[in-house]
Amino acid sequence: MNKIVMKRQLSAEVFELEVEAPLIAKERKAGQFVVLQLGDDFNERIPLTIADADVDKGTITLIVQAVGESTHRLVRLNEGDYIANLLGPLGRPTDVRKYGRVVIVGGGIGVAPAYPIAKAMKDAGNDVRVIIGARNESLLIFEDRMRSIDKDTITVTDDGSKGIKGVVTAPLEELCQNWKPDCVVAIGPAVMMKFCSLTTKKYDVHTLVSLNTIMIDGTGMCGGCRVVVDGKMKFVCVEGPEFDGHLVDWDNLMARQATFRDFEKEHHHKCHIDMQIEEGRA
């Protein structure tokens, strides 16, 4: 059992949870994730990247976006509640080393897992620039934390409500042209990572992406998280989650991600109604 010691709402459907997990906090490295189960009669496995850790407090930080039934149930837990099962750290850590100049690009909720990588790259002696993006200002997260790493963090919103109006690939291309990075790390929606990879490929910049796929057991047994990289089948949970963005078959990945999209939308709507009924608003 792992106790939730802090809960904070970051945007309409995104929550930050600080959870007691001393062994995971001690062992985790940037880029790794956990798989959790809520317990009782609901044992779906939920994979979440570790956004931060405090070894002294023995806690890890998880960022949760309420999408389906399992994540809606998770964000309805409060400080003092317990998560039944927490497995990790899983996956291969980010290849953190001294590249020289590194650009970190985070989109949407992907800004959270990008943060520990940015921090680790900085600690490794790299000169780090950060770009974060979201659909609008209300959906931006971890901006202050990213600015603690790069005071000139570039903020981009689709509607121009904060920072630059547009998409993250525009400032990324400018940095590739003028700053000439040695490595780019992009984390966010698949379409964003695809176009970041296409942008950096023109400048022959080594690019790492963290793939979000359909994941069930998180240990390589089920095969649900398979992706095609360099023409070969890979399992994200044990061979990733990070891969060379120039080698990923993005069309295959996005087609697989769309498999349960209608089902997710239906459950997302149902969970909203259930929550309103519980709160007496429906």
Side-chain angles (χ1 to χ4, degrees):
M1 301 286 283
N2 300 86
K3 185 178 180 180
I4 298 172
V5 298
M6 188 278 292
K7 176 184 177 182
R8 179 186 298 124
Q9 188 165 1
L10 301 181
S11 66
E13 296 177 339
V14 178
F15 295 79
E16 177 179 358
L17 303 178
E18 188 176 353
V19 182
E20 287 182 345
L23 295 180
I24 297 176
K26 183 179 179 180
E27 297 297 329
R28 70 95 204 192
K29 292 181 174 62
Q32 292 186 295
F33 66 96
V34 296
V35 169
L36 61 84
Q37 290 176 303
L38 298 178
D40 295 326
D41 61 342
F42 201 80
N43 285 309
E44 180 179 348
R45 299 164 71 93
I46 308 171
L48 296 169
T49 304
I50 303 168
D52 205 352
D54 189 320
V55 177
D56 294 332
K57 292 170 62 178
T59 61
I60 61 172
T61 299
L62 305 174
I63 305 300
V64 187
Q65 182 175 20
V67 178
E69 185 175 359
S70 57
T71 47
H72 271 90
R73 289 197 182 202
L74 177 56
V75 301
R76 284 155 74 180
L77 296 179
N78 295 305
E79 295 176 2
D81 290 337
Y82 288 84
I83 295 170
N85 300 305
L86 192 61
L87 175 65
L90 300 173
R92 294 186 176 185
T94 302
D95 181 16
V96 175
R97 48 192 163 96
K98 191 168 183 179
Y99 292 95
R101 294 179 173 181
V102 177
V103 178
I104 307 294
V105 187
I109 196 173
V111 176
Y115 168 68
I117 298 172
K119 187 176 180 182
M121 288 292 190
K122 187 80 170 181
D123 291 344
N126 293 289
D127 191 0
V128 176
R129 294 300 318 274
V130 176
I131 305 168
I132 61 173
R135 293 198 307 274
N136 56 61
E137 182 179 4
S138 70
L139 299 176
L140 284 168
I141 63 172
F142 273 43
E143 185 176 4
D144 289 344
R145 275 173 264 201
M146 283 302 201
R147 289 195 185 280
S148 71
I149 296 167
D150 172 20
K151 63 180 179 61
D152 297 317
T153 290
I154 300 169
T155 301
V156 182
T157 51
D158 292 0
D159 63 358
S161 53
K162 188 165 188 182
I164 300 169
K165 182 178 181 179
V167 292
V168 294
T169 49
L172 175 60
E173 181 139 29
E174 287 185 15
L175 288 175
C176 287
Q177 290 173 344
N178 304 321
W179 196 61
K180 303 188 186 307
D182 301 290
C183 177
V184 169
V185 181
I187 307 179
V191 66
M192 184 212 85
M193 293 188 289
K194 173 183 177 179
F195 282 99
C196 283
S197 299
L198 291 174
T199 298
T200 58
K201 191 172 184 178
K202 294 187 293 184
Y203 302 94
D204 195 28
V205 179
H206 178 56
T207 301
L208 297 172
V209 294
S210 183
L211 302 185
N212 298 313
T213 61
I214 302 163
M215 197 177 294
I216 301 173
D217 74 317
T219 61
M221 296 293 289
C222 71
C225 66
R226 60 188 182 274
V227 294
V228 177
V229 181
D230 197 21
K232 301 173 184 176
M233 194 70 70
K234 301 286 185 180
F235 291 162
V236 170
C237 66
V238 291
E239 297 178 273
E242 292 178 4
F243 296 95
D244 186 328
H246 299 161
L247 301 179
V248 173
D249 185 334
W250 292 105
D251 293 338
N252 175 270
L253 172 64
M254 289 188 285
R256 284 182 52 75
Q257 286 183 327
T259 303
F260 299 106
R261 189 164 294 158
D262 291 340
F263 180 78
E264 288 174 347
K265 287 181 179 178
E266 179 183 343
H267 273 259
H268 185 56
H269 179 66
K270 178 181 180 297
C271 289
H272 267 299
I273 294 175
D274 290 345
M275 190 177 299
Q276 289 176 349
I277 290 173
E278 285 186 10
E279 295 174 355
R281 292 187 286 120

